Amino acid sequence: MQKGTKENPWKLKTPPLSSEYEMYKDGKDGKEILVCTVGKTILHYDYRCINDLHEMLKDHGEWMELGSADEQKHANEGTVEAWGRSDRNPIGGWYGLKKGLRGRFAMYIPPLMEELGLAEVEHNPKNNRMRAK
């Protein structure tokens, strides 16, 4: 059975390996999305983020701090989180699609990219980084 579907989601852990969550690819309003389920919370991310982030990391060429933050909190410049909400990324803004829950991009997308063999992700208690494979 294909992985990454609603019936067979990717089972992942946050970069510090402290929490488990699931993700799968779906469609909504004619757009491919990632559905991320963390406990009872459901987040949506634009599916294009996988390829876009991989391309950015390849161009960056070295380790990049994740810098995960909630939507309401500031994301430090030069981090994956800041890129995931920047008007300078390929979609010109947030990859997170649910208002109020658009943050935490750098908490949930990097482990999926690691699972897909597109990136290396550190698994320290804090201040993790990632780079393209």
Side-chain angles (χ1 to χ4, degrees):
M1 178 184 266
Q2 183 181 348
K3 230 175 177 185
T5 63
K6 190 172 188 172
E7 298 75 28
N8 188 23
W10 291 291
K11 295 185 184 311
L12 304 164
K13 287 189 174 184
T14 56
L17 305 176
S18 55
S19 299
E20 294 181 353
Y21 64 100
E22 294 183 348
M23 285 187 115
Y24 63 90
K25 182 179 176 182
D26 204 359
K28 184 176 181 179
D29 303 326
K31 177 186 273 192
E32 289 183 318
I33 66 167
L34 287 166
V35 177
C36 177
T37 305
V38 185
K40 293 186 169 138
T41 304
I42 298 175
L43 307 151
H44 293 160
Y45 296 98
D46 190 313
Y47 188 76
R48 293 177 295 178
C49 69
I50 295 170
N51 186 54
D52 291 351
L53 180 54
H54 187 239
E55 287 299 314
M56 183 277 289
L57 289 169
K58 285 194 315 192
D59 290 345
H60 184 67
E62 57 191 55
W63 289 98
M64 183 176 222
E65 190 178 331
L66 298 182
S68 181
D70 289 330
E71 178 178 348
Q72 298 79 10
K73 296 199 172 129
H74 172 74
N76 291 334
E77 279 307 308
T79 63
V80 172
E81 185 72 35
W83 177 86
R85 51 176 82 180
S86 170
D87 57 8
R88 294 184 306 274
N89 69 33
I91 65 167
W94 295 87
Y95 281 97
L97 301 173
K98 282 180 109 174
K99 190 98 171 107
L101 298 171
R102 296 183 299 181
R104 296 272 170 191
F105 176 82
M107 181 67 71
Y108 300 121
I109 301 302
L112 174 60
M113 296 201 38
E114 184 176 47
E115 172 78 11
L116 296 173
L118 298 172
E120 292 178 73
V121 179
E122 293 179 330
H123 299 287
N124 301 310
K126 296 165 90 164
N127 302 321
N128 287 301
R129 302 174 302 163
M130 74 183 300
R131 67 180 173 190
K133 268 190 159 177

